[in-house]
Amino acid sequence: SNLTVLEIGENKIRSWNKTLFSNNGKLEDFKMARNGLDIILTDEMLYDLFNNTQLKTLDLSENSFICSENIAAFFNLALYSKNITIEGYNNGSGYSCIDLEDAGEEVTFMDYATSGVTMEDGIDIKQKRRIVT
């Protein structure tokens, strides 16, 4: 496919559970901002966003997410993905998730991923920090 930009914001998409971008190797910009539902990140979504494409820009801003181990995985993938700009992400402090195991408290991706909730020792963000705005 020659698709380079895909904008599907404001469409009430919660998640997907099979890879969708395998035939879209030229996709550079994916925008799913202001979705209107709590997003549940799946393994397939992470694979599509970070491994199955050559994204230069990812925009999931103005969404709420459900906290899960995939929030920590997203944080880690974003931390080490050098060629992608994640709109509004701000190294994990710009996106937040709802922690259903903690009375529905809203926490940033960075706080959730580095709290040790889903990992023994959290992630050392000082090791390879980069600024994403």
Side-chain angles (χ1 to χ4, degrees), residues 2 17 27-28 31 42 47 49 59 86 100 115:
N2 290 323
N17 60 2
L27 186 63
E28 294 180 353
K31 300 177 182 185
T42 63
Y47 188 79
L49 299 175
D59 187 356
I86 304 174
L100 299 177
S115 69

Short mmCIF file of all heavy atoms in Angstrom, two decimals, residues 2 17 27-28 31 42 47 49 59 86 100 115:
data_model
loop_
_atom_site.label_atom_id
_atom_site.label_comp_id
_atom_site.label_asym_id
_atom_site.label_seq_id
_atom_site.Cartn_x
_atom_site.Cartn_y
_atom_site.Cartn_z
N ASN A 2 0.38 2.30 -0.61
CA ASN A 2 1.10 3.56 -0.65
C ASN A 2 0.61 4.54 0.40
O ASN A 2 0.97 5.72 0.36
CB ASN A 2 0.97 4.20 -2.05
CG ASN A 2 1.76 3.42 -3.08
OD1 ASN A 2 2.84 2.93 -2.79
ND2 ASN A 2 1.22 3.30 -4.28
N ASN A 17 -7.15 -6.30 18.03
CA ASN A 17 -6.48 -7.52 18.52
C ASN A 17 -5.87 -8.37 17.41
O ASN A 17 -5.63 -9.55 17.61
CB ASN A 17 -7.43 -8.34 19.39
CG ASN A 17 -8.66 -8.78 18.63
OD1 ASN A 17 -8.79 -8.50 17.44
ND2 ASN A 17 -9.57 -9.45 19.31
N LEU A 27 3.57 3.68 5.76
CA LEU A 27 2.85 4.51 6.72
C LEU A 27 3.83 5.27 7.60
O LEU A 27 4.68 4.67 8.27
CB LEU A 27 1.92 3.64 7.58
CG LEU A 27 1.00 4.39 8.54
CD1 LEU A 27 0.01 5.27 7.76
CD2 LEU A 27 0.23 3.41 9.41
N GLU A 28 3.73 6.60 7.59
CA GLU A 28 4.64 7.45 8.36
C GLU A 28 3.94 8.21 9.47
O GLU A 28 4.57 8.55 10.47
CB GLU A 28 5.34 8.45 7.43
CG GLU A 28 6.26 7.80 6.43
CD GLU A 28 6.94 8.82 5.52
OE1 GLU A 28 6.58 10.02 5.58
OE2 GLU A 28 7.84 8.41 4.77
N LYS A 31 -2.57 8.94 13.34
CA LYS A 31 -3.21 9.85 14.28
C LYS A 31 -4.53 9.27 14.74
O LYS A 31 -5.42 8.98 13.93
CB LYS A 31 -3.42 11.22 13.63
CG LYS A 31 -2.12 11.84 13.19
CD LYS A 31 -2.30 13.15 12.47
CE LYS A 31 -0.92 13.64 12.04
NZ LYS A 31 -0.97 14.94 11.45
N THR A 42 -3.10 -3.19 23.23
CA THR A 42 -2.91 -4.63 23.06
C THR A 42 -1.51 -4.88 22.49
O THR A 42 -0.88 -3.96 21.96
CB THR A 42 -3.95 -5.20 22.08
OG1 THR A 42 -3.76 -4.59 20.80
CG2 THR A 42 -5.38 -4.97 22.58
N TYR A 47 2.75 -3.74 18.42
CA TYR A 47 3.51 -4.25 17.29
C TYR A 47 3.30 -3.38 16.06
O TYR A 47 4.24 -3.01 15.36
CB TYR A 47 3.14 -5.71 16.99
CG TYR A 47 4.05 -6.33 15.96
CD1 TYR A 47 5.32 -6.78 16.32
CD2 TYR A 47 3.67 -6.44 14.63
CE1 TYR A 47 6.18 -7.33 15.38
CE2 TYR A 47 4.51 -6.98 13.69
CZ TYR A 47 5.77 -7.42 14.07
OH TYR A 47 6.62 -7.95 13.13
N LEU A 49 2.35 -0.21 15.93
CA LEU A 49 2.85 1.15 16.11
C LEU A 49 4.37 1.24 16.13
O LEU A 49 4.94 2.23 15.66
CB LEU A 49 2.27 1.77 17.39
CG LEU A 49 0.75 1.88 17.42
CD1 LEU A 49 0.29 2.38 18.78
CD2 LEU A 49 0.23 2.77 16.30
N ASP A 59 0.26 10.06 16.97
CA ASP A 59 -0.55 10.98 17.77
C ASP A 59 -1.70 10.22 18.42
O ASP A 59 -2.68 9.87 17.77
CB ASP A 59 -1.08 12.12 16.91
CG ASP A 59 -1.80 13.20 17.72
OD1 ASP A 59 -1.96 13.03 18.94
OD2 ASP A 59 -2.19 14.21 17.10
N ILE A 86 6.20 11.31 19.18
CA ILE A 86 4.89 10.98 19.74
C ILE A 86 4.28 12.27 20.25
O ILE A 86 4.74 12.84 21.23
CB ILE A 86 5.01 9.92 20.85
CG1 ILE A 86 5.72 8.67 20.30
CG2 ILE A 86 3.62 9.57 21.39
CD1 ILE A 86 6.01 7.62 21.34
N LEU A 100 -7.15 0.81 37.34
CA LEU A 100 -8.33 0.17 37.92
C LEU A 100 -8.00 -0.59 39.20
O LEU A 100 -8.89 -0.86 40.00
CB LEU A 100 -8.97 -0.76 36.90
CG LEU A 100 -9.46 -0.07 35.61
CD1 LEU A 100 -10.01 -1.10 34.64
CD2 LEU A 100 -10.50 0.99 35.93
N SER A 115 6.85 2.73 38.36
CA SER A 115 6.44 2.49 39.75
C SER A 115 6.77 1.08 40.21
O SER A 115 6.69 0.79 41.39
CB SER A 115 4.93 2.71 39.90
OG SER A 115 4.21 1.70 39.22
#
